[in-house]
């Protein structure tokens, strides 16, 4: 499995703000892309830093989704008043989600 980690910087997020407001739209755009396995969106409300982590079946799938990923990142950042700081690629060494 492979992962793309994107880092964003924006304004602090109010404690009562809805972080998942656009999640359905974002997931809809990527869920049928070959090799897509999941997504996490991480936010530090106090600093406005956010990270999106997408998971891919293999490196090829991740690389072939790059154009779509770039478009989604740029649209999301613009809508949320953020800037894309970095985009990194990793092989997943292991994963575990507890019950």
């Amino acid at each position: 499995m492979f992962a793309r980690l994107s880092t964003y910087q924006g304004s602090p997020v109010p404690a009562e703000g809805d972080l998942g407001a656009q999640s359905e739209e974002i997931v809809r755009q990527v869920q049928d892309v070959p090799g897509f396995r999941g997504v996490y969106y991480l936010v530090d409300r106090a600093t406005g830093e956010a990270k999106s982590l997408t998971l891919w079946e293999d490196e090829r799938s991740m690389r072939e989704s790059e154009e779509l990923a770039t478009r989604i990142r740029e649209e999301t950042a613009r809508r949320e008043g953020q800037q894309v700081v970095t985009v990194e690629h990793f092989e997943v060494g292991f994963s575990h989600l507890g019950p």
Side-chain angles (χ1 to χ4, degrees), residues 18-34:
D18 181 4
L19 298 175
Q22 302 295 327
S23 63
E24 287 183 32
E25 173 62 21
I26 292 169
V27 171
R28 186 191 62 74
Q29 293 179 60
V30 296
Q31 68 186 0
D32 294 328
V33 175

Side-chain angles (χ1 to χ4, degrees), residues 26-97:
I26 292 169
V27 171
R28 186 191 62 74
Q29 293 179 60
V30 296
Q31 68 186 0
D32 294 328
V33 175
F36 175 74
R37 292 294 172 254
V39 60
Y40 290 91
Y41 186 63
L42 314 169
V43 178
D44 182 329
R45 289 180 185 263
T47 67
E49 182 178 2
K51 296 183 184 280
S52 63
L53 177 74
T54 55
L55 299 170
W56 300 91
E57 180 176 307
D58 53 37
E59 186 175 18
R60 180 179 178 188
S61 299
M62 180 180 65
R63 298 291 179 189
E64 289 179 352
S65 70
E66 204 66 51
E67 186 176 320
L68 175 63
T70 298
R71 183 176 55 79
I72 293 171
R73 261 194 313 275
E74 290 173 357
E75 289 173 1
T76 301
R78 184 173 35 256
R79 182 180 58 247
E80 301 296 324
Q82 300 172 320
Q83 291 190 356
V84 178
V85 179
T86 61
V87 178
E88 302 171 279
H89 302 87
F90 299 94
E91 183 172 4
V92 177
F94 73 91
S95 66
H96 173 79
L97 291 176

